């Protein structure tokens, strides 16, 4: 475990985006509070940090601005793959040209929607389900509502 911590902390400044889950980074950092963890991540050299908080949303920081991204009200049945969906969606939106903050919001919606089905692949949402939307619940089903 000591070697793993050393390797991971040494590579953090080499990454453009550091996207830890709260449970994993608590072990890595020895810290408990999300804001302290984001500060720790920046001190290690991470330029952009998104701390994934599971059902509590996310805490994002670009080193200048910090914002708590609220969770989406969905009926979670299986969280398998939600973190991977978050990371993939964030990076896809950045590659598409979205700014960091828009990409984080999109990824947060996508990860929430992916928890409404079973498994890591079948419930992955389509872009039109999460682009520029908030996720709400109606009759037990998640659906996007445009924020535009």
């Amino acid at each position: 475990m000591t070697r793993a911590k050393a390797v991971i902390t040494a590579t953090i400044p080499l990454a453009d985006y550091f996207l830890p889950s709260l449970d994993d980074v608590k072990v890595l950092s020895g810290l408990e509070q999300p804001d302290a963890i984001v500060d720790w991540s920046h001190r290690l050299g991470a330029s952009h940090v998104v701390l994934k908080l599971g059902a509590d949303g996310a805490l994002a920081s670009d080193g200048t601005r910090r914002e708590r991204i609220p969770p989406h009200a969905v009926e979670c049945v299986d969280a398998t793959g939600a973190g991977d969906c978050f990371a993939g969606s964030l990076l896809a939106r950045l590659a598409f040209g979205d700014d960091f903050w828009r990409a984080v919001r999109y990824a947060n919606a996508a990860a929430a929607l992916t928890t409404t089905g079973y498994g890591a692949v079948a419930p992955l949402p389509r872009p039109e389900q999460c682009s520029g939307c908030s996720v709400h619940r109606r009759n037990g089903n998640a659906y996007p509502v445009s924020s535009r």
Side-chain angles (χ1 to χ4, degrees), residues 61-138:
S61 173
D62 63 4
T64 303
R65 173 178 160 195
R66 184 174 300 191
E67 187 174 329
R68 187 168 292 272
I69 310 300
H72 295 286
V74 296
E75 195 168 315
C76 176
V77 295
D78 183 6
T80 302
D84 293 332
C85 176
F86 187 102
S89 295
L90 176 78
L91 296 173
R93 294 313 304 178
L94 290 167
F96 186 70
D98 286 0
D99 71 29
F100 175 67
W101 300 102
R102 183 172 177 88
V104 169
R105 283 183 178 73
Y106 179 98
N108 196 44
L113 284 171
T114 203
T115 69
T116 64
Y118 291 97
V121 177
L124 289 172
R126 304 289 304 158
E128 60 272 10
Q129 291 176 280
C130 32
S131 184
C133 71
S134 295
V135 180
H136 297 275
R137 202 166 51 95
R138 176 177 59 202

Coordinates of all heavy atoms in Angstrom, one line a residue, residues 61-138:
S61 N -12.9 21.7 -8.9 CA -12.0 22.9 -8.7 C -11.1 23.0 -9.9 O -10.5 21.9 -10.3 CB -11.3 22.8 -7.4 OG -10.3 23.8 -7.3
D62 N -10.9 24.2 -10.4 CA -9.8 24.4 -11.4 C -8.6 25.1 -10.8 O -7.8 25.6 -11.5 CB -10.4 25.2 -12.6 CG -10.9 26.6 -12.2 OD1 -10.7 27.0 -11.1 OD2 -11.4 27.2 -13.1
G63 N -8.5 25.2 -9.5 CA -7.4 25.8 -8.8 C -7.8 27.3 -8.5 O -7.1 27.9 -7.6
T64 N -8.7 27.9 -9.2 CA -9.2 29.2 -8.9 C -10.6 29.3 -8.4 O -10.9 30.0 -7.4 CB -9.1 30.1 -10.2 OG1 -7.8 30.0 -10.7 CG2 -9.5 31.5 -10.0
R65 N -11.4 28.5 -9.0 CA -12.8 28.4 -8.6 C -13.1 27.0 -8.1 O -12.6 26.0 -8.6 CB -13.6 28.7 -9.9 CG -15.1 28.5 -9.8 CD -15.8 28.9 -11.1 NE -17.1 28.4 -11.2 CZ -17.8 28.3 -12.3 NH1 -17.2 28.7 -13.5 NH2 -19.0 27.8 -12.4
R66 N -14.0 26.9 -7.1 CA -14.4 25.7 -6.5 C -15.9 25.7 -6.5 O -16.5 26.6 -6.0 CB -13.8 25.5 -5.1 CG -14.1 24.2 -4.5 CD -13.4 24.0 -3.2 NE -12.0 24.1 -3.4 CZ -11.0 23.8 -2.5 NH1 -11.4 23.4 -1.3 NH2 -9.8 23.9 -2.8
E67 N -16.5 24.6 -6.9 CA -18.0 24.5 -6.9 C -18.5 23.1 -6.5 O -17.9 22.1 -7.0 CB -18.5 24.9 -8.3 CG -19.9 25.0 -8.4 CD -20.4 25.5 -9.8 OE1 -19.6 26.3 -10.4 OE2 -21.5 25.2 -10.2
R68 N -19.4 23.1 -5.7 CA -20.1 21.8 -5.3 C -21.2 21.6 -6.4 O -22.0 22.5 -6.6 CB -20.7 21.9 -3.9 CG -21.2 20.5 -3.5 CD -21.6 20.5 -2.0 NE -20.4 20.5 -1.2 CZ -19.7 19.5 -0.8 NH1 -20.0 18.3 -1.2 NH2 -18.7 19.6 0.0
I69 N -21.1 20.5 -7.1 CA -22.1 20.1 -8.1 C -23.1 19.3 -7.4 O -22.8 18.2 -6.9 CB -21.4 19.4 -9.3 CG1 -20.1 20.1 -9.8 CG2 -22.4 19.1 -10.4 CD1 -20.4 21.5 -10.3
P70 N -24.3 19.7 -7.3 CA -25.4 19.0 -6.6 C -25.7 17.7 -7.2 O -25.6 17.5 -8.4 CB -26.6 19.9 -6.6 CG -26.4 20.9 -7.7 CD -24.9 21.0 -7.9
P71 N -26.2 16.7 -6.4 CA -26.6 15.4 -6.9 C -27.9 15.6 -7.7 O -28.6 16.6 -7.6 CB -26.8 14.6 -5.7 CG -27.2 15.6 -4.6 CD -26.4 16.8 -4.9
H72 N -28.2 14.6 -8.5 CA -29.4 14.5 -9.2 C -30.3 13.5 -8.5 O -29.9 12.4 -8.1 CB -29.2 14.1 -10.6 CG -28.4 15.1 -11.4 ND1 -29.0 16.3 -11.8 CD2 -27.1 15.1 -11.8 CE1 -28.0 17.0 -12.4 NE2 -26.9 16.3 -12.4
A73 N -31.6 13.8 -8.4 CA -32.6 12.9 -7.8 C -33.0 11.8 -8.8 O -33.8 12.0 -9.7 CB -33.8 13.7 -7.4
V74 N -32.4 10.6 -8.6 CA -32.7 9.5 -9.4 C -32.9 8.3 -8.5 O -32.5 8.3 -7.4 CB -31.6 9.1 -10.5 CG1 -31.4 10.2 -11.5 CG2 -30.3 8.8 -9.8
E75 N -33.6 7.3 -9.0 CA -33.9 6.1 -8.3 C -32.7 5.1 -8.6 O -32.7 4.4 -9.6 CB -35.2 5.5 -8.7 CG -35.7 4.4 -7.7 CD -37.1 4.1 -8.0 OE1 -37.9 5.0 -8.1 OE2 -37.4 2.9 -8.0
C76 N -31.7 5.1 -7.8 CA -30.5 4.3 -8.0 C -30.8 2.9 -7.7 O -31.3 2.5 -6.6 CB -29.4 4.8 -7.1 SG -27.9 3.8 -7.2
V77 N -30.5 2.0 -8.7 CA -30.6 0.6 -8.5 C -29.3 -0.2 -8.5 O -29.2 -1.2 -7.9 CB -31.6 -0.1 -9.5 CG1 -33.0 0.5 -9.3 CG2 -31.1 0.1 -10.9
D78 N -28.3 0.4 -9.1 CA -27.0 -0.2 -9.2 C -25.9 0.9 -9.6 O -26.1 1.5 -10.7 CB -27.0 -1.3 -10.3 CG -25.7 -2.0 -10.4 OD1 -24.8 -1.8 -9.6 OD2 -25.6 -2.9 -11.3
A79 N -25.0 1.1 -8.8 CA -24.0 2.1 -9.0 C -22.8 1.6 -9.8 O -21.8 2.4 -10.0 CB -23.5 2.8 -7.7
T80 N -22.8 0.4 -10.2 CA -21.7 -0.2 -11.0 C -21.4 0.6 -12.2 O -22.3 0.9 -13.0 CB -22.0 -1.7 -11.5 OG1 -22.3 -2.4 -10.3 CG2 -20.9 -2.3 -12.2
G81 N -20.2 1.1 -12.3 CA -19.7 1.8 -13.5 C -20.0 3.3 -13.5 O -19.7 4.0 -14.4
A82 N -20.6 3.8 -12.4 CA -21.0 5.2 -12.4 C -19.8 6.1 -12.4 O -19.7 7.1 -13.1 CB -21.9 5.5 -11.2
G83 N -18.7 5.8 -11.7 CA -17.5 6.5 -11.7 C -16.8 6.5 -13.0 O -16.3 7.5 -13.5
D84 N -16.8 5.4 -13.6 CA -16.2 5.3 -15.0 C -17.0 6.1 -16.0 O -16.4 6.7 -16.9 CB -16.1 3.8 -15.4 CG -15.2 3.0 -14.6 OD1 -14.2 3.6 -14.1 OD2 -15.4 1.8 -14.5
C85 N -18.3 6.0 -15.9 CA -19.2 6.8 -16.7 C -18.9 8.3 -16.5 O -18.8 9.1 -17.5 CB -20.7 6.5 -16.4 SG -21.8 7.6 -17.4
F86 N -18.7 8.7 -15.3 CA -18.4 10.1 -15.0 C -17.1 10.5 -15.7 O -17.1 11.5 -16.4 CB -18.3 10.3 -13.5 CG -18.1 11.8 -13.1 CD1 -19.2 12.5 -12.5 CD2 -16.9 12.4 -13.2 CE1 -19.0 13.8 -12.2 CE2 -16.8 13.8 -12.9 CZ -17.8 14.5 -12.4
A87 N -16.1 9.7 -15.5 CA -14.8 10.1 -16.1 C -14.8 10.1 -17.6 O -14.4 11.1 -18.3 CB -13.7 9.1 -15.6
G88 N -15.4 9.1 -18.2 CA -15.5 9.0 -19.6 C -16.4 10.2 -20.2 O -16.0 10.8 -21.2
S89 N -17.4 10.5 -19.6 CA -18.3 11.6 -20.0 C -17.6 12.9 -19.9 O -17.7 13.7 -20.8 CB -19.6 11.6 -19.2 OG -20.4 10.4 -19.5
L90 N -16.9 13.1 -18.8 CA -16.2 14.4 -18.6 C -15.2 14.6 -19.7 O -15.1 15.6 -20.4 CB -15.5 14.4 -17.3 CG -14.6 15.6 -17.0 CD1 -15.5 16.9 -16.7 CD2 -13.6 15.4 -15.9
L91 N -14.4 13.5 -20.0 CA -13.3 13.6 -21.0 C -13.9 13.8 -22.4 O -13.3 14.5 -23.2 CB -12.3 12.4 -20.8 CG -11.6 12.4 -19.5 CD1 -10.8 11.1 -19.4 CD2 -10.7 13.6 -19.3
A92 N -15.0 13.1 -22.6 CA -15.6 13.2 -24.0 C -16.1 14.6 -24.2 O -15.9 15.2 -25.3 CB -16.7 12.2 -24.1
R93 N -16.7 15.2 -23.2 CA -17.2 16.6 -23.3 C -16.1 17.6 -23.5 O -16.2 18.5 -24.2 CB -18.2 16.9 -22.2 CG -19.4 16.1 -22.1 CD -20.2 16.0 -23.4 NE -20.5 17.3 -24.0 CZ -21.1 17.4 -25.1 NH1 -21.5 16.4 -25.9 NH2 -21.4 18.6 -25.6
L94 N -15.0 17.4 -22.8 CA -13.8 18.2 -22.9 C -13.3 18.1 -24.3 O -12.9 19.1 -25.0 CB -12.8 17.9 -21.9 CG -13.1 18.3 -20.5 CD1 -12.1 17.6 -19.5 CD2 -13.2 19.8 -20.3
A95 N -13.2 16.9 -24.9 CA -12.7 16.7 -26.2 C -13.6 17.3 -27.2 O -13.2 17.8 -28.3 CB -12.5 15.2 -26.5
F96 N -14.9 17.3 -26.9 CA -15.9 17.9 -27.8 C -15.8 19.4 -27.8 O -16.3 20.1 -28.7 CB -17.3 17.4 -27.4 CG -18.4 17.9 -28.3 CD1 -18.5 17.3 -29.6 CD2 -19.3 18.8 -27.9 CE1 -19.5 17.7 -30.4 CE2 -20.3 19.2 -28.8 CZ -20.4 18.7 -30.0
G97 N -15.2 20.0 -26.8 CA -15.0 21.5 -26.7 C -15.7 22.2 -25.6 O -15.6 23.4 -25.5
D98 N -16.4 21.4 -24.8 CA -17.0 22.0 -23.6 C -16.0 22.6 -22.6 O -14.9 22.0 -22.5 CB -17.9 21.0 -22.8 CG -19.2 20.7 -23.5 OD1 -19.4 21.2 -24.6 OD2 -19.9 19.8 -23.0
D99 N -16.3 23.7 -21.9 CA -15.4 24.1 -20.9 C -15.5 23.1 -19.7 O -16.4 22.3 -19.6 CB -15.7 25.6 -20.5 CG -17.0 25.8 -19.7 OD1 -17.4 24.9 -19.0 OD2 -17.5 26.9 -19.8
F100 N -14.6 23.3 -18.8 CA -14.5 22.3 -17.6 C -15.8 22.3 -16.9 O -16.3 21.2 -16.5 CB -13.3 22.8 -16.7 CG -13.2 22.0 -15.4 CD1 -12.8 20.7 -15.5 CD2 -13.4 22.7 -14.2 CE1 -12.7 20.0 -14.3 CE2 -13.3 21.9 -13.0 CZ -12.9 20.6 -13.1
W101 N -16.4 23.4 -16.6 CA -17.6 23.4 -15.7 C -18.8 22.8 -16.4 O -19.6 22.1 -15.8 CB -17.9 24.9 -15.3 CG -16.7 25.4 -14.5 CD1 -15.7 26.2 -15.0 CD2 -16.3 25.0 -13.2 NE1 -14.8 26.4 -14.0 CE2 -15.1 25.6 -12.9 CE3 -16.9 24.1 -12.2 CZ2 -14.4 25.5 -11.7 CZ3 -16.2 24.0 -11.0 CH2 -15.0 24.6 -10.8
R102 N -19.0 23.0 -17.7 CA -20.1 22.4 -18.4 C -19.8 20.9 -18.5 O -20.8 20.1 -18.4 CB -20.2 23.0 -19.8 CG -21.3 22.5 -20.6 CD -21.5 23.3 -21.9 NE -22.6 22.8 -22.7 CZ -23.8 23.1 -22.6 NH1 -24.2 24.1 -21.8 NH2 -24.7 22.6 -23.4
A103 N -18.6 20.5 -18.8 CA -18.3 19.1 -18.8 C -18.5 18.4 -17.5 O -19.0 17.2 -17.5 CB -16.8 18.9 -19.3
V104 N -18.2 19.0 -16.4 CA -18.5 18.4 -15.1 C -20.0 18.2 -14.8 O -20.4 17.2 -14.4 CB -17.8 19.3 -13.9 CG1 -18.3 18.8 -12.6 CG2 -16.3 19.3 -14.0
R105 N -20.7 19.2 -15.2 CA -22.2 19.1 -15.0 C -22.8 18.0 -15.9 O -23.6 17.2 -15.4 CB -22.9 20.4 -15.3 CG -22.7 21.4 -14.2 CD -23.5 22.7 -14.5 NE -23.3 23.6 -13.4 CZ -22.2 24.3 -13.1 NH1 -21.1 24.2 -13.9 NH2 -22.1 25.1 -12.1
Y106 N -22.3 17.9 -17.1 CA -22.7 16.8 -18.0 C -22.4 15.5 -17.4 O -23.2 14.5 -17.4 CB -22.1 17.0 -19.4 CG -22.5 15.9 -20.4 CD1 -23.5 16.2 -21.3 CD2 -21.8 14.7 -20.4 CE1 -23.8 15.2 -22.3 CE2 -22.1 13.7 -21.3 CZ -23.1 14.0 -22.2 OH -23.5 13.0 -23.2
A107 N -21.1 15.3 -17.0 CA -20.7 14.0 -16.4 C -21.5 13.7 -15.2 O -21.8 12.5 -14.9 CB -19.2 14.1 -16.1
N108 N -21.8 14.7 -14.4 CA -22.6 14.4 -13.2 C -24.0 13.9 -13.5 O -24.4 12.9 -12.9 CB -22.7 15.7 -12.4 CG -23.1 15.5 -10.9 OD1 -22.7 14.6 -10.3 ND2 -24.0 16.4 -10.5
A109 N -24.6 14.4 -14.5 CA -25.9 14.0 -15.0 C -25.8 12.5 -15.6 O -26.6 11.7 -15.3 CB -26.5 14.9 -16.0
A110 N -24.8 12.3 -16.4 CA -24.6 11.0 -17.0 C -24.4 9.9 -16.0 O -24.9 8.8 -16.0 CB -23.4 11.0 -18.0
A111 N -23.5 10.2 -15.0 CA -23.2 9.2 -13.9 C -24.5 8.9 -13.1 O -24.8 7.8 -12.7 CB -22.1 9.7 -13.0
A112 N -25.3 10.0 -12.8 CA -26.6 9.7 -12.1 C -27.5 8.8 -12.9 O -28.1 7.9 -12.4 CB -27.2 11.1 -11.8
L113 N -27.6 9.1 -14.2 CA -28.5 8.3 -15.0 C -28.1 6.9 -15.1 O -28.9 6.0 -15.2 CB -28.6 9.0 -16.4 CG -29.5 10.2 -16.5 CD1 -29.4 10.8 -17.9 CD2 -31.0 9.9 -16.2
T114 N -26.8 6.7 -15.2 CA -26.3 5.3 -15.3 C -26.6 4.4 -14.1 O -26.6 3.2 -14.2 CB -24.8 5.3 -15.6 OG1 -24.5 4.0 -16.3 CG2 -23.9 5.4 -14.4
T115 N -26.9 5.0 -13.0 CA -27.3 4.2 -11.8 C -28.7 3.8 -11.8 O -29.1 3.0 -10.9 CB -27.0 5.0 -10.5 OG1 -28.0 6.1 -10.4 CG2 -25.6 5.5 -10.4
T116 N -29.5 4.2 -12.8 CA -30.9 3.8 -12.8 C -31.2 2.5 -13.5 O -32.3 2.0 -13.6 CB -31.8 4.9 -13.5 OG1 -31.3 5.0 -14.9 CG2 -31.6 6.2 -12.8
G117 N -30.1 1.8 -13.9 CA -30.2 0.5 -14.5 C -29.1 -0.4 -14.0 O -28.3 0.0 -13.2
Y118 N -29.2 -1.7 -14.4 CA -28.2 -2.7 -13.8 C -27.1 -2.9 -14.8 O -27.2 -2.9 -16.0 CB -28.9 -4.0 -13.6 CG -29.9 -4.0 -12.5 CD1 -31.3 -3.8 -12.7 CD2 -29.5 -4.1 -11.2 CE1 -32.2 -3.7 -11.7 CE2 -30.4 -4.0 -10.1 CZ -31.7 -3.8 -10.4 OH -32.6 -3.7 -9.3
G119 N -25.9 -3.0 -14.2 CA -24.7 -3.2 -15.0 C -23.9 -2.0 -15.3 O -24.4 -0.9 -15.0
A120 N -22.8 -2.1 -16.0 CA -21.9 -1.0 -16.3 C -22.1 -0.4 -17.7 O -21.7 0.7 -18.0 CB -20.5 -1.4 -16.1
V121 N -22.8 -1.2 -18.6 CA -22.9 -0.8 -20.0 C -24.3 -0.5 -20.4 O -24.6 0.6 -20.9 CB -22.3 -1.8 -20.9 CG1 -22.5 -1.4 -22.4 CG2 -20.8 -2.1 -20.6
A122 N -25.2 -1.3 -20.1 CA -26.6 -1.2 -20.5 C -27.3 0.2 -20.1 O -27.9 0.8 -21.0 CB -27.5 -2.3 -20.1
P123 N -27.0 0.7 -18.9 CA -27.7 1.9 -18.5 C -27.0 3.2 -19.0 O -27.4 4.3 -18.6 CB -27.8 1.8 -17.0 CG -26.6 1.0 -16.6 CD -26.4 0.0 -17.8
L124 N -25.8 3.1 -19.7 CA -25.1 4.3 -20.1 C -26.1 5.2 -20.9 O -26.7 4.8 -21.9 CB -23.9 4.0 -20.9 CG -22.7 3.3 -20.2 CD1 -21.7 2.9 -21.2 CD2 -22.2 4.3 -19.2
P125 N -26.2 6.5 -20.5 CA -27.2 7.3 -21.2 C -26.7 7.8 -22.5 O -25.4 7.9 -22.7 CB -27.4 8.5 -20.2 CG -26.1 8.5 -19.4 CD -25.6 7.1 -19.3
R126 N -27.5 8.2 -23.4 CA -27.2 8.8 -24.7 C -27.0 10.3 -24.4 O -27.5 10.9 -23.4 CB -28.4 8.6 -25.7 CG -28.8 7.2 -25.9 CD -27.8 6.4 -26.7 NE -27.5 7.1 -27.9 CZ -26.5 6.8 -28.7 NH1 -25.6 6.0 -28.3 NH2 -26.3 7.5 -29.8
P127 N -26.2 11.0 -25.2 CA -25.9 12.4 -25.0 C -27.1 13.3 -24.9 O -27.2 14.2 -24.0 CB -25.1 12.8 -26.3 CG -24.5 11.5 -26.7 CD -25.5 10.4 -26.4
E128 N -28.2 13.0 -25.7 CA -29.4 13.8 -25.6 C -30.1 13.7 -24.3 O -30.9 14.5 -23.9 CB -30.3 13.5 -26.8 CG -30.8 12.1 -26.8 CD -29.9 11.1 -27.6 OE1 -28.8 11.5 -28.0 OE2 -30.3 10.0 -27.8
Q129 N -29.8 12.6 -23.5 CA -30.4 12.5 -22.2 C -29.7 13.4 -21.1 O -30.4 13.6 -20.1 CB -30.3 11.0 -21.7 CG -31.1 10.1 -22.5 CD -30.9 8.6 -22.1 OE1 -29.9 8.0 -22.4 NE2 -31.8 8.1 -21.2
C130 N -28.5 13.8 -21.3 CA -27.8 14.5 -20.3 C -27.2 15.8 -20.7 O -26.8 16.6 -19.8 CB -26.8 13.7 -19.6 SG -26.0 12.5 -20.5
S131 N -27.2 16.2 -21.9 CA -26.6 17.4 -22.4 C -27.4 18.6 -21.9 O -28.6 18.8 -22.3 CB -26.5 17.4 -23.9 OG -25.8 18.6 -24.4
G132 N -26.8 19.5 -21.1 CA -27.4 20.7 -20.7 C -28.7 20.5 -19.9 O -29.7 21.2 -20.0
C133 N -28.8 19.4 -19.1 CA -30.0 19.1 -18.4 C -29.8 18.9 -16.9 O -28.7 18.7 -16.5 CB -30.6 17.9 -19.0 SG -29.8 16.3 -18.7
S134 N -30.9 18.9 -16.3 CA -31.0 18.5 -14.9 C -31.8 17.2 -14.9 O -32.6 17.0 -15.8 CB -31.7 19.5 -14.0 OG -31.0 20.6 -13.9
V135 N -31.5 16.3 -14.1 CA -32.2 15.0 -14.0 C -33.2 15.0 -12.9 O -32.9 15.4 -11.8 CB -31.2 13.8 -13.8 CG1 -31.9 12.5 -13.8 CG2 -30.1 13.8 -14.9
H136 N -34.4 14.7 -13.2 CA -35.5 14.6 -12.3 C -36.1 13.3 -12.3 O -35.9 12.5 -13.2 CB -36.5 15.7 -12.6 CG -36.0 17.1 -12.5 ND1 -35.9 17.8 -11.3 CD2 -35.4 17.9 -13.4 CE1 -35.3 19.0 -11.5 NE2 -35.0 19.0 -12.8
R137 N -36.9 13.0 -11.3 CA -37.6 11.7 -11.2 C -39.1 11.9 -11.3 O -39.6 12.8 -10.7 CB -37.2 11.0 -9.9 CG -37.3 9.6 -9.9 CD -36.6 9.0 -8.7 NE -37.0 9.6 -7.4 CZ -37.9 9.1 -6.6 NH1 -38.6 8.1 -6.9 NH2 -38.2 9.8 -5.5
R138 N -39.7 11.0 -12.1 CA -41.2 11.1 -12.2 C -41.6 9.6 -12.4 O -41.1 8.9 -13.2 CB -41.6 11.9 -13.5 CG -43.1 11.9 -13.7 CD -43.5 12.7 -14.9 NE -42.8 12.3 -16.1 CZ -42.6 13.0 -17.1 NH1 -43.0 14.3 -17.1 NH2 -42.0 12.6 -18.2

